[in-house]
Amino acid sequence: SSSSTAASSCQRLRHHLLPSEEPLALNRRLARLFTSQDGSDGGDTQKPFIAFVLGGPGSGKGTQCTKIASDFGFAHLSAGDLLRHEIASGSEKGELILDIIKEGRIVPSEITVELIRKAMETKNAKRVLIDGFPRCEENRIAFEKIVGTEPDIVIFFDCPEDEMVKRLLGRNQGRVDDNIETIKKRLKVFESLNLPVVDYYSSRGKVHKINATGTADEIFEAVRRLFSSLRL
Ligand SMILES: Nc1ncnc2c1ncn2[C@@H]1O[C@H](COP(=O)(O)OP(=O)(O)O)[C@@H](O)[C@H]1O
Ligand SMILES: Nc1ccn([C@@H]2O[C@H](COP(=O)(O)OP(=O)(O)O)[C@@H](O)[C@H]2O)c(=O)n1
Ligand SMILES: [Mg+2]
């Protein structure tokens, strides 16, 4: 499949690159660029590097993932965004998801994992951040079963509750779950269902805990140090 991908990439790129060059020679040069021997042409031939990004609601997962994605070449998959996209599509499944999100509860794992699996397949990236997942043991086990792999690392943003509440109430993205009643429920769900997942990965030596207080830039300094030290 990689040669047809390379060929279509060539078609598209030919118009932008060296228009004077003889098309066949240029095609060959571009094909080499897109099909290197070590499998660096995407996740086609190799399992991607997977980082789960966890932390309470409002701890700054999304904010930090955006920065990691742009500085370290990761695809950013937010479980919450995938679920909200499904709601926006107007599907029947979306109605169920909306009811659950309004209550701060956790969407059935098969729905979320299937959305993540599809997004991973579409992006076909070498490095993937999975933001806000797994939220509970059931999420974790379903991912292992359906995607068939474990994360390489787990980032855990550690933030005090009062700071998380303050950030969520100021988020202003029109989210149905950023109100104080739902926030209280989300914090309970985080403590009872998500922290055990963090403990599980801690016992397997995969967790990198990052202090999530301070400015976004200060936190990213610690994040940058961590990602710079990884063998990606
Ligand atoms: N370090 C920070 N200090 C203050 N506000 C922050 C910080 N990081 C993120 N925010 C803001 O807090 C809110 C929640 O951040 P977000 O990245 O969406 O967290 P999460 O994805 O963990 O819920 C957003 O409005 C964001 O702009
Ligand atoms: N793995 C996940 C992720 C999110 N969700 C739902 O989506 C809501 C919002 O998740 P989110 O990750 O966008 O929220 P934040 O922690 O970023 O504020 C959660 O409160 C859950 O109701 C879920 O059910 N399962
Ligand atoms: Mg988020």
Side-chain angles (χ1 to χ4, degrees):
S1 73
S2 58
S3 63
S4 66
T5 308
S8 55
S9 300
C10 291
Q11 296 289 339
R12 276 181 272 114
L13 278 169
R14 192 192 288 156
H15 300 286
H16 303 290
L17 290 169
L18 305 173
S20 62
E21 188 167 352
E22 192 265 303
L24 276 175
L26 178 56
N27 256 357
R28 273 194 301 276
R29 285 198 315 120
L30 287 169
R32 272 199 302 278
L33 262 175
F34 281 89
T35 54
S36 62
Q37 295 300 305
D38 61 4
S40 58
D41 54 331
D44 252 0
T45 50
Q46 239 180 321
K47 174 198 165 301
F49 183 98
I50 298 173
F52 283 166
V53 180
L54 299 179
S59 60
K61 301 179 294 296
T63 302
Q64 296 299 321
C65 281
T66 301
K67 292 171 179 285
I68 300 165
S70 84
D71 280 26
F72 292 94
F74 276 75
H76 174 196
L77 303 186
S78 158
D81 285 350
L82 290 168
L83 292 167
R84 284 183 287 273
H85 192 260
E86 187 65 31
I87 295 172
S89 80
S91 72
E92 210 170 301
K93 218 186 286 167
E95 286 177 35
L96 168 77
I97 296 170
L98 176 60
D99 288 341
I100 295 172
I101 285 184
K102 275 189 198 157
E103 290 300 314
R105 285 163 35 232
I106 295 175
V107 173
S109 298
E110 56 274 27
I111 293 180
T112 313
V113 173
E114 195 47 31
L115 291 172
I116 292 172
R117 192 196 61 72
K118 271 193 240 154
M120 288 177 70
E121 190 179 278
T122 305
K123 299 240 177 195
N124 191 32
K126 279 195 302 174
R127 304 166 179 179
V128 183
L129 299 171
I130 303 185
D131 164 6
F133 181 97
R135 223 67 171 206
C136 59
E137 284 287 288
E138 192 209 9
N139 266 187
R140 175 182 74 69
I141 291 161
F143 184 89
E144 283 175 16
K145 196 169 139 209
I146 296 170
V147 181
T149 186
E150 285 193 29
D152 294 279
I153 59 169
V154 177
I155 318 294
F156 174 57
F157 288 110
D158 190 22
C159 194
E161 279 201 1
D162 55 349
E163 175 66 20
M164 295 196 282
V165 173
K166 202 174 81 187
R167 290 181 190 175
L168 291 173
L169 290 175
R171 182 149 59 182
N172 264 329
Q173 289 176 355
R175 277 177 48 169
V176 294
D177 53 350
D178 281 347
N179 58 80
I180 192 63
E181 283 76 32
T182 310
I183 289 170
K184 282 182 188 157
K185 293 178 185 162
R186 289 159 71 196
L187 288 168
K188 282 211 183 96
V189 166
F190 168 68
E191 202 178 284
S192 61
L193 299 180
N194 206 345
L195 285 180
V197 177
V198 177
D199 290 340
Y200 169 84
Y201 286 121
S202 290
S203 73
R204 299 174 63 90
K206 290 193 171 177
V207 173
H208 299 264
K209 180 158 127 179
I210 290 178
N211 177 351
T213 59
T215 67
D217 285 342
E218 283 165 355
I219 297 161
F220 190 61
E221 270 319 300
V223 171
R224 184 201 300 285
R225 237 177 288 129
L226 166 62
F227 277 81
S228 300
S229 76
L230 295 175
R231 251 215 268 159
L232 292 171

Short mmCIF file of all heavy atoms in Angstrom, two decimals, residues 188-230:
data_model
loop_
_atom_site.label_atom_id
_atom_site.label_comp_id
_atom_site.label_asym_id
_atom_site.label_seq_id
_atom_site.Cartn_x
_atom_site.Cartn_y
_atom_site.Cartn_z
N LYS A 188 -15.70 13.33 41.29
CA LYS A 188 -15.91 12.06 42.00
C LYS A 188 -15.55 10.88 41.12
O LYS A 188 -14.90 9.93 41.55
CB LYS A 188 -17.37 11.93 42.45
CG LYS A 188 -17.71 12.73 43.68
CD LYS A 188 -18.83 12.02 44.49
CE LYS A 188 -19.23 12.85 45.71
NZ LYS A 188 -20.42 13.70 45.42
N VAL A 189 -16.02 10.95 39.85
CA VAL A 189 -15.74 9.87 38.90
C VAL A 189 -14.23 9.77 38.65
O VAL A 189 -13.67 8.67 38.57
CB VAL A 189 -16.50 10.12 37.57
CG1 VAL A 189 -15.98 9.23 36.45
CG2 VAL A 189 -18.00 9.89 37.78
N PHE A 190 -13.58 10.92 38.57
CA PHE A 190 -12.12 10.92 38.38
C PHE A 190 -11.43 10.17 39.51
O PHE A 190 -10.59 9.29 39.29
CB PHE A 190 -11.62 12.37 38.29
CG PHE A 190 -10.13 12.48 38.38
CD1 PHE A 190 -9.32 11.98 37.35
CD2 PHE A 190 -9.52 13.06 39.48
CE1 PHE A 190 -7.93 12.06 37.43
CE2 PHE A 190 -8.13 13.14 39.57
CZ PHE A 190 -7.34 12.63 38.55
N GLU A 191 -11.83 10.53 40.75
CA GLU A 191 -11.16 9.92 41.89
C GLU A 191 -11.45 8.42 42.01
O GLU A 191 -10.54 7.63 42.25
CB GLU A 191 -11.61 10.64 43.17
CG GLU A 191 -10.64 10.47 44.30
CD GLU A 191 -11.11 11.26 45.52
OE1 GLU A 191 -10.95 12.49 45.52
OE2 GLU A 191 -11.63 10.63 46.45
N SER A 192 -12.70 8.06 41.80
CA SER A 192 -13.04 6.65 42.05
C SER A 192 -12.70 5.74 40.87
O SER A 192 -12.37 4.58 41.08
CB SER A 192 -14.53 6.51 42.42
OG SER A 192 -15.32 6.97 41.35
N LEU A 193 -12.77 6.25 39.64
CA LEU A 193 -12.55 5.36 38.48
C LEU A 193 -11.25 5.60 37.73
O LEU A 193 -10.66 4.66 37.20
CB LEU A 193 -13.73 5.47 37.50
CG LEU A 193 -15.11 5.09 38.06
CD1 LEU A 193 -16.17 5.24 36.99
CD2 LEU A 193 -15.10 3.67 38.61
N ASN A 194 -10.80 6.88 37.66
CA ASN A 194 -9.61 7.15 36.84
C ASN A 194 -8.31 6.96 37.62
O ASN A 194 -7.34 6.44 37.09
CB ASN A 194 -9.68 8.57 36.26
CG ASN A 194 -8.89 8.71 34.97
OD1 ASN A 194 -8.07 7.87 34.62
ND2 ASN A 194 -9.14 9.79 34.25
N LEU A 195 -8.30 7.38 38.89
CA LEU A 195 -7.07 7.21 39.66
C LEU A 195 -6.62 5.75 39.77
O LEU A 195 -5.41 5.49 39.68
CB LEU A 195 -7.20 7.87 41.05
CG LEU A 195 -7.10 9.41 41.02
CD1 LEU A 195 -7.25 9.99 42.43
CD2 LEU A 195 -5.79 9.89 40.38
N PRO A 196 -7.55 4.78 39.88
CA PRO A 196 -7.08 3.39 39.88
C PRO A 196 -6.34 3.00 38.61
O PRO A 196 -5.42 2.17 38.65
CB PRO A 196 -8.39 2.59 40.02
CG PRO A 196 -9.32 3.50 40.73
CD PRO A 196 -8.98 4.88 40.23
N VAL A 197 -6.71 3.60 37.47
CA VAL A 197 -5.99 3.31 36.21
C VAL A 197 -4.57 3.87 36.29
O VAL A 197 -3.61 3.23 35.85
CB VAL A 197 -6.75 3.93 35.00
CG1 VAL A 197 -5.98 3.69 33.71
CG2 VAL A 197 -8.15 3.36 34.90
N VAL A 198 -4.46 5.07 36.88
CA VAL A 198 -3.12 5.66 37.06
C VAL A 198 -2.27 4.76 37.96
O VAL A 198 -1.10 4.50 37.67
CB VAL A 198 -3.22 7.09 37.65
CG1 VAL A 198 -1.84 7.68 37.89
CG2 VAL A 198 -4.04 8.00 36.73
N ASP A 199 -2.90 4.24 39.03
CA ASP A 199 -2.18 3.33 39.94
C ASP A 199 -1.74 2.07 39.21
O ASP A 199 -0.62 1.58 39.40
CB ASP A 199 -3.07 2.93 41.14
CG ASP A 199 -3.29 4.11 42.08
OD1 ASP A 199 -2.49 5.07 42.03
OD2 ASP A 199 -4.26 4.07 42.85
N TYR A 200 -2.61 1.55 38.37
CA TYR A 200 -2.28 0.34 37.61
C TYR A 200 -1.01 0.57 36.76
O TYR A 200 -0.07 -0.22 36.80
CB TYR A 200 -3.46 -0.06 36.71
CG TYR A 200 -3.10 -1.13 35.70
CD1 TYR A 200 -3.14 -2.48 36.05
CD2 TYR A 200 -2.71 -0.79 34.41
CE1 TYR A 200 -2.79 -3.47 35.14
CE2 TYR A 200 -2.36 -1.77 33.48
CZ TYR A 200 -2.40 -3.10 33.85
OH TYR A 200 -2.05 -4.07 32.95
N TYR A 201 -1.00 1.68 36.03
CA TYR A 201 0.16 1.95 35.17
C TYR A 201 1.40 2.33 35.99
O TYR A 201 2.52 2.09 35.56
CB TYR A 201 -0.16 3.02 34.13
CG TYR A 201 -1.03 2.51 33.02
CD1 TYR A 201 -2.27 3.09 32.74
CD2 TYR A 201 -0.63 1.43 32.23
CE1 TYR A 201 -3.08 2.61 31.72
CE2 TYR A 201 -1.43 0.94 31.21
CZ TYR A 201 -2.65 1.54 30.95
OH TYR A 201 -3.44 1.06 29.94
N SER A 202 1.18 2.93 37.17
CA SER A 202 2.31 3.23 38.05
C SER A 202 3.02 1.94 38.43
O SER A 202 4.25 1.85 38.41
CB SER A 202 1.85 3.92 39.33
OG SER A 202 1.42 5.22 39.05
N SER A 203 2.20 0.93 38.76
CA SER A 203 2.80 -0.34 39.20
C SER A 203 3.55 -1.00 38.05
O SER A 203 4.39 -1.85 38.28
CB SER A 203 1.72 -1.27 39.75
OG SER A 203 0.93 -1.77 38.69
N ARG A 204 3.25 -0.61 36.83
CA ARG A 204 3.96 -1.14 35.67
C ARG A 204 5.07 -0.20 35.20
O ARG A 204 5.65 -0.37 34.12
CB ARG A 204 2.98 -1.43 34.54
CG ARG A 204 1.95 -2.48 34.97
CD ARG A 204 0.88 -2.71 33.94
NE ARG A 204 1.37 -3.24 32.67
CZ ARG A 204 1.49 -4.53 32.40
NH1 ARG A 204 1.16 -5.42 33.31
NH2 ARG A 204 1.92 -4.92 31.23
N GLY A 205 5.33 0.82 36.01
CA GLY A 205 6.46 1.73 35.74
C GLY A 205 6.28 2.63 34.53
O GLY A 205 7.24 3.10 33.95
N LYS A 206 5.02 2.90 34.15
CA LYS A 206 4.79 3.67 32.92
C LYS A 206 4.40 5.13 33.16
O LYS A 206 4.30 5.91 32.22
CB LYS A 206 3.70 3.00 32.09
CG LYS A 206 4.17 1.68 31.48
CD LYS A 206 3.23 1.17 30.42
CE LYS A 206 3.89 -0.03 29.73
NZ LYS A 206 3.02 -0.65 28.72
N VAL A 207 4.15 5.49 34.43
CA VAL A 207 3.58 6.82 34.69
C VAL A 207 4.66 7.88 34.90
O VAL A 207 5.61 7.69 35.65
CB VAL A 207 2.63 6.77 35.90
CG1 VAL A 207 2.17 8.18 36.28
CG2 VAL A 207 1.44 5.89 35.61
N HIS A 208 4.49 9.01 34.21
CA HIS A 208 5.32 10.19 34.43
C HIS A 208 4.39 11.26 34.99
O HIS A 208 3.53 11.78 34.28
CB HIS A 208 5.95 10.66 33.12
CG HIS A 208 6.86 9.63 32.52
ND1 HIS A 208 8.22 9.62 32.73
CD2 HIS A 208 6.58 8.55 31.76
CE1 HIS A 208 8.74 8.58 32.11
NE2 HIS A 208 7.79 7.91 31.50
N LYS A 209 4.56 11.54 36.29
CA LYS A 209 3.67 12.50 36.95
C LYS A 209 4.25 13.90 36.81
O LYS A 209 5.44 14.12 37.07
CB LYS A 209 3.55 12.11 38.43
CG LYS A 209 2.66 13.01 39.24
CD LYS A 209 2.20 12.26 40.48
CE LYS A 209 2.49 13.05 41.74
NZ LYS A 209 2.01 12.31 42.92
N ILE A 210 3.41 14.82 36.40
CA ILE A 210 3.86 16.20 36.20
C ILE A 210 2.99 17.14 37.04
O ILE A 210 1.75 17.05 37.02
CB ILE A 210 3.80 16.56 34.69
CG1 ILE A 210 4.91 15.77 33.98
CG2 ILE A 210 3.94 18.07 34.47
CD1 ILE A 210 4.98 15.96 32.51
N ASN A 211 3.65 18.00 37.76
CA ASN A 211 2.96 19.00 38.56
C ASN A 211 2.24 19.98 37.62
O ASN A 211 2.89 20.69 36.85
CB ASN A 211 3.99 19.73 39.44
CG ASN A 211 3.36 20.85 40.24
OD1 ASN A 211 2.19 21.22 40.07
ND2 ASN A 211 4.15 21.41 41.15
N ALA A 212 0.90 20.01 37.69
CA ALA A 212 0.12 20.80 36.73
C ALA A 212 -0.32 22.15 37.28
O ALA A 212 -1.28 22.74 36.79
CB ALA A 212 -1.08 19.99 36.26
N THR A 213 0.38 22.65 38.31
CA THR A 213 0.10 24.01 38.76
C THR A 213 1.13 24.95 38.14
O THR A 213 2.19 24.51 37.70
CB THR A 213 0.14 24.13 40.30
OG1 THR A 213 1.44 23.75 40.76
CG2 THR A 213 -0.89 23.22 40.95
N GLY A 214 0.79 26.25 38.14
CA GLY A 214 1.66 27.21 37.47
C GLY A 214 1.07 27.56 36.11
O GLY A 214 -0.02 27.10 35.77
N THR A 215 1.81 28.35 35.34
CA THR A 215 1.28 28.73 34.03
C THR A 215 1.45 27.58 33.05
O THR A 215 2.25 26.66 33.28
CB THR A 215 2.04 29.95 33.46
OG1 THR A 215 3.40 29.53 33.16
CG2 THR A 215 2.07 31.11 34.43
N ALA A 216 0.68 27.63 31.95
CA ALA A 216 0.77 26.57 30.94
C ALA A 216 2.21 26.46 30.42
O ALA A 216 2.69 25.36 30.17
CB ALA A 216 -0.21 26.87 29.80
N ASP A 217 2.88 27.59 30.28
CA ASP A 217 4.27 27.55 29.77
C ASP A 217 5.22 26.91 30.79
O ASP A 217 6.12 26.16 30.41
CB ASP A 217 4.76 28.97 29.44
CG ASP A 217 4.15 29.48 28.14
OD1 ASP A 217 3.64 28.63 27.36
OD2 ASP A 217 4.17 30.70 27.91
N GLU A 218 5.00 27.20 32.07
CA GLU A 218 5.84 26.58 33.10
C GLU A 218 5.66 25.06 33.11
O GLU A 218 6.63 24.31 33.21
CB GLU A 218 5.50 27.16 34.49
CG GLU A 218 6.08 28.54 34.72
CD GLU A 218 5.45 29.28 35.92
OE1 GLU A 218 4.49 28.75 36.54
OE2 GLU A 218 5.91 30.39 36.22
N ILE A 219 4.40 24.64 33.00
CA ILE A 219 4.13 23.20 32.99
C ILE A 219 4.76 22.56 31.75
O ILE A 219 5.34 21.48 31.82
CB ILE A 219 2.60 22.94 33.03
CG1 ILE A 219 2.03 23.49 34.35
CG2 ILE A 219 2.29 21.46 32.88
CD1 ILE A 219 0.54 23.72 34.34
N PHE A 220 4.68 23.28 30.64
CA PHE A 220 5.24 22.71 29.41
C PHE A 220 6.76 22.56 29.49
O PHE A 220 7.32 21.70 28.81
CB PHE A 220 4.85 23.52 28.17
CG PHE A 220 5.20 22.82 26.89
CD1 PHE A 220 4.65 21.57 26.59
CD2 PHE A 220 6.11 23.36 26.00
CE1 PHE A 220 4.98 20.89 25.43
CE2 PHE A 220 6.46 22.68 24.84
CZ PHE A 220 5.89 21.45 24.54
N GLU A 221 7.42 23.35 30.31
CA GLU A 221 8.87 23.16 30.48
C GLU A 221 9.16 21.75 31.01
O GLU A 221 10.06 21.06 30.52
CB GLU A 221 9.45 24.22 31.42
CG GLU A 221 9.92 25.46 30.68
CD GLU A 221 10.65 25.12 29.38
OE1 GLU A 221 11.69 24.41 29.44
OE2 GLU A 221 10.18 25.51 28.29
N ALA A 222 8.38 21.32 32.00
CA ALA A 222 8.56 19.96 32.55
C ALA A 222 8.18 18.91 31.51
O ALA A 222 8.83 17.87 31.38
CB ALA A 222 7.72 19.79 33.81
N VAL A 223 7.12 19.22 30.76
CA VAL A 223 6.67 18.29 29.71
C VAL A 223 7.75 18.17 28.63
O VAL A 223 8.07 17.07 28.17
CB VAL A 223 5.35 18.80 29.09
CG1 VAL A 223 4.98 17.99 27.85
CG2 VAL A 223 4.22 18.74 30.11
N ARG A 224 8.32 19.28 28.26
CA ARG A 224 9.35 19.29 27.23
C ARG A 224 10.58 18.48 27.68
O ARG A 224 11.14 17.71 26.89
CB ARG A 224 9.78 20.74 26.92
CG ARG A 224 10.80 20.84 25.78
CD ARG A 224 11.58 22.14 25.83
NE ARG A 224 10.73 23.32 25.73
CZ ARG A 224 10.16 23.74 24.59
NH1 ARG A 224 10.35 23.08 23.48
NH2 ARG A 224 9.41 24.82 24.58
N ARG A 225 10.94 18.64 28.95
CA ARG A 225 12.07 17.87 29.47
C ARG A 225 11.80 16.37 29.32
O ARG A 225 12.65 15.61 28.90
CB ARG A 225 12.31 18.24 30.94
CG ARG A 225 13.72 18.76 31.22
CD ARG A 225 13.87 19.18 32.68
NE ARG A 225 13.16 20.41 33.01
CZ ARG A 225 12.31 20.57 34.02
NH1 ARG A 225 12.07 19.58 34.87
NH2 ARG A 225 11.71 21.73 34.23
N LEU A 226 10.59 15.99 29.71
CA LEU A 226 10.23 14.57 29.62
C LEU A 226 10.29 14.07 28.18
O LEU A 226 10.95 13.07 27.88
CB LEU A 226 8.82 14.35 30.20
CG LEU A 226 8.18 13.01 29.87
CD1 LEU A 226 9.00 11.86 30.44
CD2 LEU A 226 6.75 12.94 30.39
N PHE A 227 9.63 14.77 27.26
CA PHE A 227 9.58 14.28 25.88
C PHE A 227 10.95 14.33 25.20
O PHE A 227 11.23 13.51 24.33
CB PHE A 227 8.51 15.04 25.07
CG PHE A 227 7.13 14.46 25.28
CD1 PHE A 227 6.39 14.80 26.40
CD2 PHE A 227 6.61 13.51 24.40
CE1 PHE A 227 5.14 14.24 26.63
CE2 PHE A 227 5.36 12.94 24.62
CZ PHE A 227 4.63 13.31 25.73
N SER A 228 11.79 15.28 25.63
CA SER A 228 13.14 15.34 25.06
C SER A 228 13.96 14.13 25.48
O SER A 228 14.89 13.73 24.79
CB SER A 228 13.86 16.61 25.50
OG SER A 228 13.14 17.74 25.07
N SER A 229 13.61 13.56 26.64
CA SER A 229 14.38 12.43 27.16
C SER A 229 13.91 11.09 26.60
O SER A 229 14.54 10.06 26.84
CB SER A 229 14.29 12.39 28.69
OG SER A 229 13.02 11.88 29.07
N LEU A 230 12.80 11.10 25.88
CA LEU A 230 12.25 9.83 25.37
C LEU A 230 12.98 9.39 24.12
O LEU A 230 13.42 10.22 23.33
CB LEU A 230 10.77 9.99 25.02
CG LEU A 230 9.79 10.31 26.14
CD1 LEU A 230 8.42 10.55 25.54
CD2 LEU A 230 9.74 9.18 27.15
#
